[in-house]
Amino acid sequence: MNKPFIEDEHFKGENYTQNRLAKGEYEHCTFTNCNFSNGNLTNSSFLECEFIDCNLSNSNITASSFNEVLFKDCKLLGLRFDQCNDFLLSFTFEDCALNLASFYQLKLKKIWFKKCILEEVDFVEADLTEALFDDCNLKHAIFENTLLEKADFRTSHSFSIDPENNRIKKAKFSKENIVGLLETYDIMIN
């Protein structure tokens, strides 16, 4: 059964908490102020789409594809991005809340997080080479065996990254947030 192809549509103020968004292939579509909370987006494809001021918290995104997707001013609590189709997976996050989301083992080179709340996010074994974390709160985010080479954390805060359990070669940090690299050593910095 072929999935419908939807192109250049604008979805505004829709509530998909009870009735799901039609399973399909969405290209160049914009979703504004839509509620997908606890909804079902499984097996859907989103190519060059934008989600603006949407709530996707705890939605099921298993086997969904996100290619060049922008999430702006969205609530994405508890999303399991690690269950998405990882082929050509790429997205950008601006002013989003992603607490408790999982990016476990995903290859997300050059991903951008701008002004995001990333508390307790799972980045275990992810490839975040050249990732940008611009003014992000990374409190209790989990970095373990994570590839962070050339990643930029200069304007972010509240992270704890163990340099011995992560690859951080040429990653960028500021003097103000370097304490996040030393926390594992239980030393005092004044």
Side-chain angles (χ1 to χ4, degrees), residues 45-49 64-69 81 84-92 106-109 111:
S45 298
F46 302 94
L47 173 62
E48 297 181 20
C49 292
S64 289
S65 298
F66 294 93
N67 185 349
E68 296 186 38
V69 171
F81 291 101
C84 289
N85 180 344
D86 62 356
F87 183 69
L88 299 175
L89 185 66
S90 63
F91 23 54
T92 299
L106 290 178
K107 291 182 181 5
L108 300 169
K109 293 181 179 184
I111 189 170

Side-chain angles (χ1 to χ4, degrees), residues 128 143 146-151 153 161 166-169 171:
L128 300 172
F143 295 95
T146 307
L147 183 53
L148 297 167
E149 293 180 358
K150 299 181 183 176
F153 291 92
I161 299 172
N166 296 283
R167 292 178 47 195
I168 62 169
K169 186 175 183 177

Side-chain angles (χ1 to χ4, degrees), residues 31-49:
F31 300 88
T32 305
N33 197 27
C34 293
N35 189 358
F36 300 89
S37 179
N38 295 302
N40 187 349
L41 292 170
T42 58
N43 293 303
S44 291
S45 298
F46 302 94
L47 173 62
E48 297 181 20
C49 292

Side-chain angles (χ1 to χ4, degrees), residues 115-163:
K115 297 182 181 177
C116 291
I117 302 171
L118 299 160
E119 293 183 2
E120 300 184 57
V121 171
D122 181 354
F123 291 113
V124 173
E125 297 180 20
D127 182 350
L128 300 172
T129 302
E130 296 185 66
L132 173 65
F133 293 90
D134 182 13
D135 194 19
C136 294
N137 176 355
L138 290 151
K139 185 176 182 180
H140 300 298
I142 305 166
F143 295 95
E144 189 175 309
N145 295 319
T146 307
L147 183 53
L148 297 167
E149 293 180 358
K150 299 181 183 176
D152 189 343
F153 291 92
R154 289 179 291 184
T155 58
S156 289
H157 60 91
S158 303
F159 58 82
S160 178
I161 299 172
D162 184 344

Side-chain angles (χ1 to χ4, degrees), residues 47-99:
L47 173 62
E48 297 181 20
C49 292
E50 294 183 354
F51 291 84
I52 301 167
D53 198 26
C54 293
N55 183 356
L56 289 91
S57 296
N58 297 311
S59 292
N60 186 347
I61 55 175
T62 302
S64 289
S65 298
F66 294 93
N67 185 349
E68 296 186 38
V69 171
L70 169 67
F71 292 97
K72 184 171 175 60
D73 298 311
C74 290
K75 193 172 177 184
L76 307 155
L77 308 180
L79 277 191
R80 297 287 311 268
F81 291 101
D82 59 322
Q83 294 179 347
C84 289
N85 180 344
D86 62 356
F87 183 69
L88 299 175
L89 185 66
S90 63
F91 23 54
T92 299
F93 299 94
E94 294 181 19
D95 296 299
C96 292
L98 290 120
N99 300 2

